[in-house]
Amino acid sequence: DVKVTQSSRYLVKRTGEKVFLECVQDMDHENMFWYRQDPGLGLRLIYFSYDVKMKEKGDIPEGYSVSREKKERFSLILESASTNQTSMYLCASSLRGSMDTQYFGPGTRLTVL
Amino acid sequence: SQQGEEDPQALSIQEGENATMNCSYKTSINNLQWYRQNSGRGLVHLILIRSNEREKHSGRLRVTLDTSKKSSSLLITASRAADTASYFCATDGPGGNMLTFGGGTRLMVKP
């Protein structure tokens, strides 16, 4: 079975802190994705990566950056956390592109105070 | 903006009844997928239907796709309390690289 893990289930940070969210997949997938999920807004894509060191902006990249130094690991970075970044963050991976099933991690619920 | 929009936003039924959820989208697609999300958890893939397919089955799930109406429906037959979850449709949209998710339908199945 594909397994996607995220470093934390719950995280509380203060405004202005630098925040790292880590995601690891064990199925040698090419593509990895970061979404945020907010009530009434569904899932919105922040960034995705189709290969090591490659990244593409999604719908809402502002305030975020990403890093993919190894194929299995995709990190989401909040350079200076703000309260409007309080959300559920979901990582996913897929073997190829959008034609494929995406496998999701359990999510990280981030609260920025 | 969301490519897919689910309808209804919330649905409450009794165990044993069928549940139907609909998804409408705006632009042409290559495929449409349905996912389930239990409360506070990640999404789980249910079924993928390609644009040249009209209907697909998986266990108690039946998905239809009408590309002329840009709509899809997910039918869960003989529902169980364990089916209680949010259900999302996702389309690959105009860019082809990304999936765009709708806002979801919250299904509650009462025992």
Side-chain angles (χ1 to χ4, degrees), chain B residues 41-107:
Chain B
R41 310 294 294 186
L43 278 71
V44 174
H45 179 257
L46 295 176
I47 201 163
L48 181 152
I49 186 165
R50 302 200 186 282
S51 59
N52 61 355
E53 297 175 309
R54 290 298 165 256
E55 188 170 313
K56 207 160 182 181
H57 296 254
S58 177
R60 293 184 296 111
L61 305 180
R62 173 178 167 248
V63 169
T64 61
L65 179 65
D66 187 336
T67 52
S68 66
K69 294 181 179 178
K70 293 187 170 56
S71 67
S72 173
S73 67
L74 170 67
L75 168 67
I76 304 174
T77 59
S79 63
R80 305 167 182 166
D83 295 328
T84 294
S86 291
Y87 292 82
F88 295 86
C89 69
T91 56
D92 61 349
N97 288 326
M98 306 184 296
L99 282 181
T100 303
F101 288 80
T105 292
R106 293 189 313 278
L107 173 66

Side-chain angles (χ1 to χ4, degrees), chain A:
Chain A
D1 280 350
V2 177
K3 193 164 184 183
V4 179
T5 57
Q6 296 183 227
S7 49
S8 305
R9 287 299 316 278
Y10 300 94
L11 207 53
V12 180
K13 295 291 181 181
R14 296 206 173 274
T15 301
E17 280 192 81
K18 190 168 186 175
V19 182
F20 292 88
L21 302 183
E22 304 285 340
C23 176
V24 178
Q25 50 95 3
D26 67 356
M27 281 302 291
D28 204 35
H29 282 174
E30 301 289 334
N31 297 273
M32 296 189 75
F33 308 83
W34 274 108
Y35 296 90
R36 66 176 282 176
Q37 183 178 24
D38 300 286
L41 296 176
L43 274 76
R44 293 179 292 167
L45 181 66
I46 305 171
Y47 268 99
F48 72 99
S49 169
Y50 52 90
D51 201 352
V52 175
K53 296 192 188 294
M54 306 304 289
K55 61 185 179 185
E56 290 281 348
K57 293 180 180 178
D59 296 323
I60 51 163
E62 297 79 18
Y64 303 94
S65 62
V66 290
S67 172
R68 194 162 179 207
E69 296 296 319
K70 293 184 178 181
K71 192 175 187 179
E72 68 270 17
R73 188 180 297 269
F74 191 35
S75 302
L76 179 69
I77 303 153
L78 287 67
E79 295 288 341
S80 178
S82 63
T83 55
N84 62 12
Q85 292 179 309
T86 291
S87 186
M88 170 73 103
Y89 289 88
L90 293 164
C91 173
S93 72
S94 70
L95 182 58
R96 293 181 294 267
S98 61
M99 300 292 285
D100 261 349
T101 298
Q102 290 191 10
Y103 296 86
F104 282 79
T108 295
R109 187 165 294 281
L110 172 67
T111 301
V112 182
L113 301 176

Side-chain angles (χ1 to χ4, degrees), chain B residues 18-57:
Chain B
N18 295 342
T20 300
M21 288 157 269
N22 302 296
C23 170
S24 60
Y25 57 91
K26 299 186 178 86
T27 62
S28 62
I29 60 171
N30 294 306
N31 71 74
L32 185 145
Q33 304 184 37
W34 285 91
Y35 288 79
R36 184 187 75 212
Q37 183 182 35
N38 290 88
S39 180
R41 310 294 294 186
L43 278 71
V44 174
H45 179 257
L46 295 176
I47 201 163
L48 181 152
I49 186 165
R50 302 200 186 282
S51 59
N52 61 355
E53 297 175 309
R54 290 298 165 256
E55 188 170 313
K56 207 160 182 181
H57 296 254

